[in-house]
Amino acid sequence: ILLPPQQRAAPRGVASSRLLSSLAVLEQRDGKLNVASLAAVTAARRLGGSVTGFVAGGPGIRAVAEEGLAESYAPMLVENIKNGGYTHVMTGHSAFGKNLLPRVAALLDVQQISDIIGIESEDTFVRTIYAGNAITTVQSSDNIKVITVRGTAFQSGAAEGGSAELVEGVDPKAENMTEWVSEDLTKSDRPELSTAERVVSGGRGLKSKEDFDRLIPPLADALGAAIGASRAAVDSGFADNSLQVGQTGKNVAPQLYLCAGISGAIQHLAGMKDSKVIAAINKDPDAPIFQVADVGLVGDLFEKVPELTQKLKG
Ligand code: FAD
């Protein structure tokens, strides 16, 4: 277990009545840091006070798979939180964060604050409800604030540079009843959906898996984009579940979100409306997606998508 960066942050207008000290829990896989998880560092720095990054694992410590087990990770993290006297614990609102932090909050007997998009002060945070249709400001009176942060709301901190000191954490090696069996990861050469600069998404308008596979990947490749899908496309078997964008899928905020055959239901918009440029292809001029799109193309996607792909390639 490695307990690294001590960074002294410049307080950003957050009044500090006591010493703030945050622990940003970072994700790693095969010894490689998940850069998206650095959003937790950005959020912690915005709070002010000292920031410590926490990474479990590393060469020669434990098998990576075992560290991935939230049942063993949570008690170890809690031990390190108590040892370090942290006031705030933050991590990304990813599958990792969503699996780990509720366990940590329960062990610390505090209320977790999920998926924040803003920080008002050391105890007051902003988060969305009703699929992003309302914004709430919540205040916590717990002594340790356990928080997951929305990656698209806080830019990832720099992965390199700085002069952080490396400190070893503690590993209580708690016994637990869960055994690691195996994991099956989707392999893709394309950019990771949640962090991609460009995303090309397809919806029910694609009609079939064959058409989805024939039209969407070439357009995504021409743009160097990740592939996304609506829930209707996922439920119809056109695309893998891991590609779903929206309230019950992934949150994305790329520079370009280009979608075809997606109507723009609020649950879909909840996952992509923070994209810098939204471009939509839909045959229905009244499709709600055009209300949020910066660029709209009314037409048949079966013509327009191959045409666009050709133009981009040429
Ligand atoms: P549709 O709404 O059927 O739209 C298809 C669109 O394709 C239409 O606008 C049509 O005009 C267009 N089209 C058809 N043929 C063509 C053509 N040839 N050329 C061009 N355009 C064409 N949805 C999500 O996406 N993500 C979520 O995370 C999510 N979570 C949900 C959570 C809950 C609790 C609930 C209740 C729903 C959720 N949904 C989610 C579902 C959501 O409400 C919509 O049903 C879904 O987004 C619709 O997907 P779609 O736009 O692909 O399909």
Side-chain angles (χ1 to χ4, degrees), residues 22 38-48 90 116 119 149 154-155:
S22 301
L38 292 172
V41 174
T42 308
R45 296 196 80 202
R46 206 164 288 175
L47 205 56
M90 293 185 167
I116 64 162
I119 296 172
V149 310
F154 298 90
Q155 283 222 319

Side-chain angles (χ1 to χ4, degrees), residues 204 207 230-231 244-245 248 263 267-268 282 300-301:
R204 180 149 43 198
K207 304 277 192 292
S230 70
R231 176 156 155 187
Q244 184 176 316
V245 172
T248 41
S263 59
Q267 295 90 353
H268 188 79
N282 198 303
D300 185 350
L301 68 87

